[in-house]
Amino acid sequence: MAEISHRKARTIIAKTLAKGREMELKPLSVVVLDSGGHVKAFEREDGAAPGRFDIARAKAYGAIMLGMGGQAQMARAEAQAYFMNAVNGVYDGKVIPVPGGILVQDKRGNTIGAVGVTGDTSDNDAEAGMAGIEAAGLAGQP
């Protein structure tokens, strides 16, 4: 099974944070999970609230466990709230179905992990995360 490398995870984080600064976003927190939902790397900018790790992880965890990015999860939650409530029951409340949770794929289209970004608006979080993923030479499903 293809996995995201530590080097690619660090690149994603560095470039996501750089994009956030370029966009003048609030301080961000970024987590990269492997394809099994385990933390590969995490960073929280100075000034970001300490609870942001859990939010970033929940955004990414939903993406990897459901095989869909945060935008698709949010659409599903709006259309079928009962489904996302059930999912959160299955995953012990560890899913936040909003933009900023991004499924990561390699050049062959294999899912190799997920990124969770939090700190600004969910849409801005997703935009910064996509920039980080693309800078690492990978593809994302926001």
Side-chain angles (χ1 to χ4, degrees):
M1 176 185 293
E3 288 290 339
I4 193 163
S5 70
H6 183 257
R7 185 178 61 80
K8 292 277 188 184
R10 300 299 309 150
T11 298
I12 290 168
I13 290 173
K15 298 300 185 178
T16 297
L17 296 177
K19 182 66 173 180
R21 288 188 296 275
E22 176 189 310
M23 294 171 63
E24 299 182 358
L25 303 183
K26 295 176 184 173
L28 298 178
S29 295
V30 185
V31 69
V32 178
L33 305 181
D34 66 18
S35 63
H38 305 286
V39 175
K40 193 76 173 186
F42 170 74
E43 194 165 326
R44 180 174 62 91
E45 286 188 301
D46 292 343
R52 291 293 179 172
F53 169 78
D54 293 320
I55 295 169
R57 182 179 177 277
K59 286 182 174 188
Y61 193 76
I64 200 70
M65 290 299 140
L66 296 173
M68 65 175 83
Q71 291 174 354
Q73 290 177 59
M74 187 169 80
R76 183 81 183 260
E78 290 170 347
Q80 297 177 315
Y82 61 87
F83 174 77
M84 289 310 294
N85 286 334
V87 164
N88 253 322
V90 169
Y91 293 121
D92 299 322
K94 295 178 186 172
V95 174
I96 297 178
V98 298
I102 307 166
L103 206 57
V104 179
Q105 297 172 322
D106 64 16
K107 293 177 182 178
R108 294 182 176 163
N110 298 310
T111 297
I112 59 172
V115 173
V117 183
T118 185
D120 205 89
T121 67
S122 293
D123 289 334
N124 285 342
D125 294 343
E127 184 177 342
M130 283 298 297
I133 292 165
E134 290 167 1
L138 300 168
Q141 287 185 18

